[in-house]
Amino acid sequence: MNEIFKIKNLDLYYGEKQVLKNVNMNILENKVTAFIGPSGCGKSTLLRCLNRMNDLISTCKIDGEILYNDKNIMELQAMNLRKDIGMVFKSPNPFQ
């Protein structure tokens, strides 16, 4: 099975507060992957990492590596990455 995402040793900080700690996982192509957990546990934060939406938050610092089709997402153009990796939010926010 082809791994579309490989997440390695991912840590994420908002300022001094660490909100993701040592996340390691593979997400397989053409398979359903569910993130389940209580409010505030980091599900949306992790999803935002996959298409670099956290780049827009000035206090956000990310350590570790996320590979998309075996390429480091930090080496890809963010807009091109977002064309491949869409997000649907629970609250609509068109034109923002």
Side-chain angles (χ1 to χ4, degrees):
M1 200 54 50
N2 189 26
E3 297 158 336
I4 192 113
F5 280 106
K6 296 176 186 170
I7 303 170
K8 300 176 182 179
N9 304 316
L10 184 71
D11 294 321
L12 185 137
Y13 301 83
Y14 291 127
E16 297 295 318
K17 182 175 173 76
Q18 186 173 9
V19 294
L20 296 179
K21 298 177 184 176
N22 198 33
V23 176
N24 291 281
M25 69 180 298
N26 296 328
I27 299 174
L28 301 176
E29 185 175 26
N30 298 322
K31 295 292 180 186
V32 175
T33 302
F35 294 97
I36 301 170
S39 178
C41 72
K43 301 178 302 285
S44 295
T45 299
L46 178 59
L47 287 173
R48 291 171 58 89
C49 290
L50 300 181
N51 70 355
R52 293 184 46 192
M53 290 189 71
N54 289 316
D55 290 6
L56 306 172
I57 301 170
S58 63
T59 61
C60 183
K61 177 185 170 231
I62 299 173
D63 293 326
E65 185 175 48
I66 300 174
L67 303 177
Y68 172 65
N69 289 327
D70 292 320
K71 295 180 183 135
N72 188 320
I73 65 167
M74 298 311 291
E75 297 171 1
L76 302 173
Q77 291 288 329
M79 292 308 289
N80 292 334
L81 181 67
R82 292 177 190 141
K83 287 179 186 176
D84 285 351
I85 305 164
M87 293 199 56
V88 178
F89 298 93
K90 62 183 173 184
S91 302
N93 57 357
F95 312 114
Q96 286 189 1

